[in-house]
Amino acid sequence: MEEFFGDNGDYDEEAEEKRYYRRKRLLTVKSVISASLGAAITYGVYLGLLQMQLILHYDETYRDVKYGNMGLQDIDNKMLMGINVTPIVALLYTPVLIRFFGTKWMLFLSSGIYALFVSTNYWERYYTLVPSATVIGVMIVPFWASIGNYITRMAQKYYEFVNYKEENVREHRRVPRGASHRYIIIFQCIFYSFFHMSFVLSQFPMYFFLNKFLYSYNHTLCNVQQCGASIQHGILPGFNVTVLHSLPPSLSLIYVESALMGAALLSMLLILVLCGSAYRPTEEIDLRSIGWGNIFQLPFKHARDYRLRCLAPYFLYSGFEVLFACSGFALCYGVCSLGLEKLPYLITAYGLSASIFSWLGLSFLRLPRQVPIAGGAVLHACILIGLFFWSPKPKEQSQSSVLYLVAVLWGMGTALNKTGLSIIIGMFYEDKERQDFVFTIYHWMQAIAIFIVYLWSGLHMMAKLGIMLASALISVLSYLWMEHKISCKVPPRVPKIPAPRHKVKGYRYLEEDNSDESDSEGDESDKEESEKSGSEEEDNERELPVRERRRLKQHMVYEQAVEEE
């Protein structure tokens, strides 16, 4: 008994505490890497399947032979409309969904919706493709807002596990402002270095399957007369309506879609099993307890902050430039000059460049933040000015080196924009109570940009380049104006987060009548109340145990009822 209950002389409390928090730090890093890989695989599968689907459905022979009069192009148009138009209303429901399900579970459910979209491609019909594409549009903003919130919160948790000896961390008080900035910068760079690999993963169906069935550029570009800035209407006018020299077997398509479905399920498992929770259970309760009406209103109230208003042009531009790289530049410059078979190589160069140069976000640790944030838009503005005066010739393979160089430089600018915006939002809004609202505004503005790009698809290429250049310059000037106001110490108008309402149904320990209260706790609380009241009779009554006092009250109520009768 003495050996069992006695003090263990070999036990070192400080060493055990160090090992405990080291495990916590490793689990946090594992969660960040797992979430980054899961998001990269999910988006890679989604983009790859959508690209393969649109190429197959574009081919006239494929449509006529396999689908007849089903109207496959009309279904594709409705599907793209569902993906691009639905996110416009996402500002209304995204914070409610994140607060209701929690950050990690919202991320998991969103990846499940993308897997649902993959599964519907086994049976390509209007009633399968269009509803699944519409649900994808509904979940785009919640998916990205939960990712931004999750990575930022993990950086703050990592700071708490590193500085676990500090008094404010032990007592779960608010940490000093700017204390976790270093980890926010590092974790956002880790996330985007993994995520931008999704553009590389999305080209695997083209590399390993579809390229074997494509015609060479001499056939697909035989009627193309204009490329680049000289295109006057639409995308690739004159592009051949047949791009497949032979139809892919249906069984091979099933194999490819099954591989994509397996990858989507793998991303769901990564998020479900390896990602830890972003908040403690009590914090989740407090985040929901401010009231669903307040949760609905707070994104609109945060728009009164001049920092978000000044960053709004940058939010829009960050949506413009990614879609321009994947559609405008890749098709109107790359495919128009090199052929459709070179499209995966251009997108791969762009994705690899963005992934590698995402580590340039670490320059926030040494340089003023204006340099990396404004640097990406300035680099894109220089490229856009060059694209104004350059129209590559169709079927000219000698221009491939210039096109790959532009793709790499554009990827560098994308990396600076994406990491810079996520880092600066995490720096400005360190309070965990408002991060989901701010990331919702950021990615909702990107969704608005996606919708605008969807609308301008038929414009003159010079008009598209002009809009891109104007938005890049306006975003830089607006950001510099914001930095000027911050340097002048202009206070931002940040809305107040309501205090949690502790009288919540379903939580008995939050009620005034605490049935889980022990007799000793009841005696202590009753003695404090007796000191405030001054009567001796009440003091004697309050000294009774809790159960006796309740029984006495019930007896008094019963006697009063008997007397009234």
Side-chain angles (χ1 to χ4, degrees):
M1 293 293 289
E2 290 180 358
E3 291 178 358
F4 186 77
F5 289 106
D7 295 334
N8 187 1
D10 298 332
Y11 178 75
D12 188 351
E13 184 178 358
E14 186 175 355
E16 287 294 329
E17 195 176 36
K18 282 183 180 180
R19 281 194 286 270
Y20 172 77
Y21 282 103
R22 184 169 64 246
R23 288 195 300 270
K24 286 286 189 180
R25 293 195 294 270
L26 290 175
L27 289 174
T28 304
V29 174
K30 180 201 69 176
S31 298
V32 171
I33 294 175
S34 301
S36 305
L37 278 174
I41 294 173
T42 298
Y43 239 67
V45 168
Y46 162 66
L47 294 177
L49 179 63
L50 190 62
Q51 176 181 319
M52 184 182 72
Q53 185 186 52
L54 292 177
I55 291 174
L56 289 173
H57 294 179
Y58 176 81
D59 187 83
E60 190 177 45
T61 307
Y62 181 86
R63 295 197 310 268
D64 292 343
V65 171
K66 297 200 71 171
Y67 292 95
N69 298 324
M70 198 175 72
L72 206 57
Q73 278 190 316
D74 181 63
I75 292 176
D76 286 346
N77 292 332
K78 297 283 177 51
M79 187 177 66
L80 292 175
M81 183 183 298
I83 294 173
N84 294 309
V85 176
T86 313
I88 294 176
V89 297
L91 190 65
L92 303 177
Y93 58 79
T94 299
V96 176
L97 287 179
I98 293 176
R99 292 287 173 107
F100 182 79
F101 289 107
T103 306
K104 176 193 169 180
W105 287 103
M106 192 69 246
L107 188 56
F108 172 72
L109 291 173
S110 301
S111 63
I113 295 298
Y114 282 91
L116 173 67
F117 175 75
V118 177
S119 67
T120 56
N121 282 267
Y122 283 106
W123 185 252
E124 294 178 315
R125 294 294 184 271
Y126 181 89
Y127 53 83
T128 58
L129 294 179
V130 176
S132 64
T134 304
V135 177
I136 284 281
V138 169
M139 299 306 295
I140 284 176
V141 177
F143 177 73
W144 277 101
S146 57
I147 284 178
N149 190 11
Y150 187 82
I151 300 299
T152 304
R153 181 62 189 142
M154 282 297 165
Q156 293 175 334
K157 288 181 72 173
Y158 193 87
Y159 165 81
E160 294 172 2
F161 297 147
V162 170
N163 302 276
Y164 61 90
K165 291 185 178 180
E166 293 186 4
E167 185 178 355
N168 51 9
V169 174
R170 285 185 175 276
E171 297 180 0
H172 301 301
R173 292 186 306 197
R174 186 168 296 175
V175 300
R177 295 198 65 84
S180 58
H181 285 181
R182 176 185 182 85
Y183 304 109
I184 291 174
I185 293 169
I186 295 172
F187 281 19
Q188 291 290 352
C189 291
I190 291 173
F191 169 74
Y192 279 106
S193 66
F194 278 98
F195 175 77
H196 283 132
M197 289 300 293
S198 63
F199 294 102
V200 180
L201 298 176
S202 67
Q203 302 308 309
F204 282 6
M206 288 283 288
Y207 283 131
F208 301 114
F209 173 69
L210 200 57
N211 265 357
K212 297 182 293 185
F213 304 97
L214 293 178
Y215 275 117
S216 67
Y217 66 93
N218 288 320
H219 175 81
T220 55
L221 301 177
C222 61
N223 296 321
V224 175
Q225 304 296 328
Q226 297 173 335
C227 287
S230 59
I231 294 178
Q232 297 182 0
H233 180 73
I235 298 174
L236 285 177
F239 197 70
N240 206 319
V241 293
T242 56
V243 296
L244 303 174
H245 59 72
S246 61
L247 299 183
S250 298
L251 190 61
S252 299
L253 283 171
I254 291 174
Y255 288 155
V256 173
E257 289 168 358
S258 299
L260 294 175
M261 189 67 196
L265 293 176
L266 175 63
S267 68
M268 293 178 64
L269 288 176
L270 281 174
I271 295 171
L272 178 64
V273 177
L274 298 181
C275 289
S277 60
Y279 298 95
R280 293 184 293 271
T282 53
E283 290 178 331
E284 295 277 5
I285 292 170
D286 286 345
L287 290 175
R288 298 188 190 106
S289 298
I290 65 172
W292 297 109
N294 290 321
I295 294 172
F296 177 80
Q297 295 174 16
L298 279 169
F300 302 96
K301 292 182 178 179
H302 276 86
R304 296 180 293 187
D305 189 346
Y306 73 83
R307 295 174 296 181
L308 282 177
R309 292 202 305 269
C310 291
L311 286 172
Y314 229 124
F315 297 160
L316 284 172
Y317 177 72
S318 66
F320 288 153
E321 54 98 358
V322 175
L323 284 178
F324 178 77
C326 296
S327 59
F329 170 75
L331 296 178
C332 297
Y333 285 86
V335 173
C336 188
S337 176
L338 305 178
L340 187 60
E341 63 271 20
K342 298 296 183 183
L343 175 63
Y345 299 99
L346 280 171
I347 300 295
T348 299
Y350 167 74
L352 282 174
S353 171
S355 176
I356 294 169
F357 288 114
S358 293
W359 293 105
L360 289 177
L362 296 177
S363 59
F364 276 83
L365 298 172
R366 295 283 181 249
L367 298 176
R369 64 187 179 214
Q370 294 89 335
V371 176
I373 292 181
V378 170
L379 177 59
H380 282 172
C382 296
I383 296 173
L384 289 169
I385 292 172
L387 294 179
F388 263 107
F389 303 101
W390 181 48
S391 296
K393 296 180 180 179
K395 297 182 287 186
E396 281 288 338
Q397 299 292 309
S398 59
Q399 302 171 85
S400 60
S401 58
V402 180
L403 289 167
Y404 285 119
L405 177 62
V406 172
V408 169
L409 292 177
W410 196 274
M412 181 193 297
T414 297
L416 290 172
N417 288 339
K418 295 294 185 182
T419 55
L421 286 175
S422 297
I423 287 169
I424 199 171
I425 289 176
M427 287 180 172
F428 285 165
Y429 301 94
E430 295 181 283
D431 300 338
K432 60 180 180 292
E433 297 89 355
R434 64 180 78 247
Q435 287 170 357
D436 51 347
F437 302 120
V438 178
F439 278 104
T440 296
I441 294 172
Y442 169 32
H443 294 293
W444 178 73
M445 295 295 289
Q446 284 190 328
I448 295 295
I450 294 172
F451 175 66
I452 294 172
V453 173
Y454 170 73
L455 292 179
W456 81 22
S457 59
L459 286 179
H460 195 292
M461 192 63 196
M462 294 286 283
K464 296 177 185 177
L465 293 173
I467 295 172
M468 289 284 298
L469 182 60
S471 61
L473 296 177
I474 291 172
S475 61
V476 171
L477 293 175
S478 178
Y479 168 71
L480 294 177
W481 174 248
M482 181 201 71
E483 292 288 354
H484 171 71
K485 295 182 75 172
I486 291 175
S487 63
C488 294
K489 298 182 179 180
V490 178
R493 191 180 177 186
V494 181
K496 182 181 178 182
I497 304 293
R501 301 172 183 173
H502 289 300
K503 291 185 179 180
V504 182
K505 291 182 179 180
Y507 302 104
R508 290 192 302 162
Y509 60 89
L510 297 177
E511 297 289 341
E512 288 180 359
D513 189 9
N514 190 351
S515 60
D516 295 330
E517 188 181 27
S518 64
D519 291 343
S520 60
E521 292 173 350
D523 293 338
E524 292 175 2
S525 61
D526 293 335
K527 286 179 182 178
E528 291 177 0
E529 293 178 2
S530 65
E531 291 175 0
K532 294 179 182 178
S533 66
S535 90
E536 295 180 357
E537 295 180 356
E538 290 180 356
D539 290 348
N540 295 330
E541 183 182 345
R542 291 178 188 272
E543 285 178 351
L544 293 173
V546 175
R547 295 175 183 174
E548 294 293 333
R549 193 169 70 250
R550 288 177 183 163
R551 196 174 302 156
L552 180 62
K553 287 181 180 179
Q554 292 176 358
H555 184 68
M556 291 173 62
V557 170
Y558 174 74
E559 287 183 349
Q560 184 178 0
V562 170
E563 290 176 1
E564 289 178 356
E565 289 181 359

